[in-house]
Amino acid sequence: MFSFSAVVGYILGLLILFVVTKIFFKPIKFIVKILANSVLGGVLLYLLNLMHPIFGIYIGINPVTALVTGLLGIPGICLLLILQIIF
């Protein structure tokens, strides 16, 4: 029914497909993580800015703050808060 070379060919084809998808999806996974962190950071910065009259701290939402929160997540927001308090 099936020849040995056909079975080996299918297995090698699946293995190559698996490796190629791993290579291409790893950067996409990283980009999705950065985008999710950016959105979460932006929402948290927005909520923090809503409480500006209470705490007296305002951090503008711009590409730099979005990049910091996107790369670092919650620790990035803490970093921005510390920098805002110091300067």
Side-chain angles (χ1 to χ4, degrees):
M1 287 216 142
F2 293 107
S3 68
F4 180 72
S5 61
V7 172
V8 170
Y10 284 123
I11 291 173
L12 283 177
L14 288 174
L15 182 64
I16 290 171
L17 182 66
F18 176 73
V19 169
V20 168
T21 55
K22 282 293 236 187
I23 289 171
F24 285 121
F25 282 120
K26 193 152 187 120
I28 292 172
K29 198 174 177 184
F30 178 71
I31 290 170
V32 168
K33 182 179 177 187
I34 294 270
L35 287 174
N37 278 345
S38 296
V39 169
L40 178 65
V43 168
L44 288 175
L45 282 176
Y46 178 75
L47 292 175
L48 179 72
N49 289 338
L50 282 178
M51 295 186 288
H52 166 67
I54 298 169
F55 297 120
I57 297 173
Y58 179 81
I59 299 173
I61 300 174
N62 55 43
V64 175
T65 57
L67 183 66
V68 169
T69 58
L71 290 174
L72 300 177
I74 303 296
I77 293 175
C78 294
L79 173 70
L80 291 172
L81 281 172
I82 291 169
L83 288 175
Q84 183 68 26
I85 291 170
I86 291 174
F87 297 109

